[in-house]
């Protein structure tokens, strides 16, 4: 499908358009997010799913990239994203979920992550992947995860769960050392818990268990 742009000659030789020019401008339609829900530990969680624009891998279900939002108190962003568009055009499905701790679902949902960061959010992301595989929206042997900041931390830890084949993490927190001062002082203590829990749950501590 294309739209046609026509230009007419201007007045005299000074005009850069000296003849009728027609150019076919292709219309590129970005993928549209579909809402989905699933349950984990009796809690109903919500997600967004972008189906691939075309199938290029010859499989019944497409490969999947789960995007983990940062924060961890961020939320799904369904506005236009060039990377989502690129992956969709390349034959990948893309998904994102509002795991426990995400904003926009009330205080109970947000505070459910306190003391469980790096554990509950990761298992909910893995549950989303398995749900999409079970509903034929993702190939079981081609699931991947990506994220930035705390989302990158979850992506790394998901490699310990045996549900994804690879992960991409931009500037993740690889250790859970809390800040002594500054605006985030005490934040990891609230999100993860004791110093012992922070040491045991960090990506650095769990690196030997990562598979991808």
């Amino acid at each position: 499908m294309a739209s046609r742009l026509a230009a007419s000659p201007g007045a005299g030789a000074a005009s850069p358009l000296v003849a009728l020019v027609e150019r076919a401008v292709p219309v590129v339609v970005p993928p549209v997010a579909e809402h989905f829900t699933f349950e984990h530990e009796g809690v109903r969680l919500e997600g967004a799913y972008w189906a691939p624009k075309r199938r290029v891998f010859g499989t019944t279900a497409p490969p999947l990239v789960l995007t983990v939002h940062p924060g961890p108190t961020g939320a799904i962003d369904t506005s236009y994203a060039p990377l989502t568009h690129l992956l969709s055009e390349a034959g990948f499905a893309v998904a994102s979920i509002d795991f426990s701790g995400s904003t926009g679902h009330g205080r109970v949902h947000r505070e459910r992550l306190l003391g469980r960061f790096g554990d509950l959010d990761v298992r909910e992301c893995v549950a989303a992947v398995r749900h999409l595989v079970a509903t034929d929206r993702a190939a079981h042997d081609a699931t991947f995860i990506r994220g930035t900041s705390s989302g990158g931390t979850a992506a790394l830890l998901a490699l310990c769960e045996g549900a994804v084949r690879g992960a991409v993490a931009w500037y993740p927190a690889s250790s859970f050392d809390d800040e002594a001062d500054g605006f985030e002082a005490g934040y990891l203590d609230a999100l993860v818990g004791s110093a012992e829990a922070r040491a045991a749950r960090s990506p650095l501590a769990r690196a030997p268990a990562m598979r991808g």
Side-chain angles (χ1 to χ4, degrees):
M1 182 177 181
S3 62
R4 189 170 294 276
L5 177 66
S8 300
S15 172
L17 301 177
V18 296
L20 182 65
V21 178
E22 291 187 346
R23 182 193 306 169
V25 181
V27 177
V28 180
V29 180
V32 177
E34 305 169 14
H35 177 262
F36 73 93
T37 62
F38 66 102
E39 287 194 2
H40 180 260
E41 293 185 354
V43 175
R44 184 172 179 266
L45 299 167
E46 299 184 14
Y49 176 86
W50 292 263
K53 299 289 289 183
R54 55 197 181 100
R55 297 294 178 92
V56 299
F57 294 99
T59 56
T60 303
L64 171 74
V65 176
L66 182 74
T67 296
V68 189
H69 69 67
T73 52
I76 296 170
D77 184 357
T78 57
S79 62
Y80 177 75
L83 182 55
T84 298
H85 195 168
L86 176 67
L87 288 168
S88 177
E89 289 286 346
F92 286 81
V94 180
S96 185
I97 68 165
D98 276 346
F99 49 80
S100 294
S102 303
T103 193
H105 300 273
R107 177 175 292 183
V108 172
H109 183 88
R110 181 171 55 82
E111 292 184 347
R112 192 179 299 117
L113 191 62
L114 293 179
R116 303 180 72 183
F117 173 64
D119 173 38
L120 180 60
D121 52 332
V122 175
R123 290 189 290 109
E124 289 174 345
C125 287
V126 169
V129 169
R130 289 175 172 152
H131 169 77
L132 292 171
V133 169
T135 52
D136 295 324
R137 284 178 281 185
H140 71 92
D141 57 350
T143 54
F144 307 92
I145 190 168
R146 60 172 290 270
T148 60
S149 190
S150 65
T153 301
L156 291 177
L157 290 171
L159 292 173
C160 303
E161 303 297 323
V164 294
R165 291 300 183 96
V168 177
W170 284 268
Y171 49 93
S174 55
S175 67
F176 287 165
D177 297 327
D178 211 343
E179 294 185 7
D181 50 23
F183 79 99
E184 285 195 337
Y187 191 36
L188 277 173
D189 187 52
L191 284 175
V192 183
S194 66
E196 292 77 11
R198 295 198 304 271
R201 203 180 300 166
S202 72
L204 279 179
R206 302 198 64 196
M210 294 179 185
R211 300 289 184 272

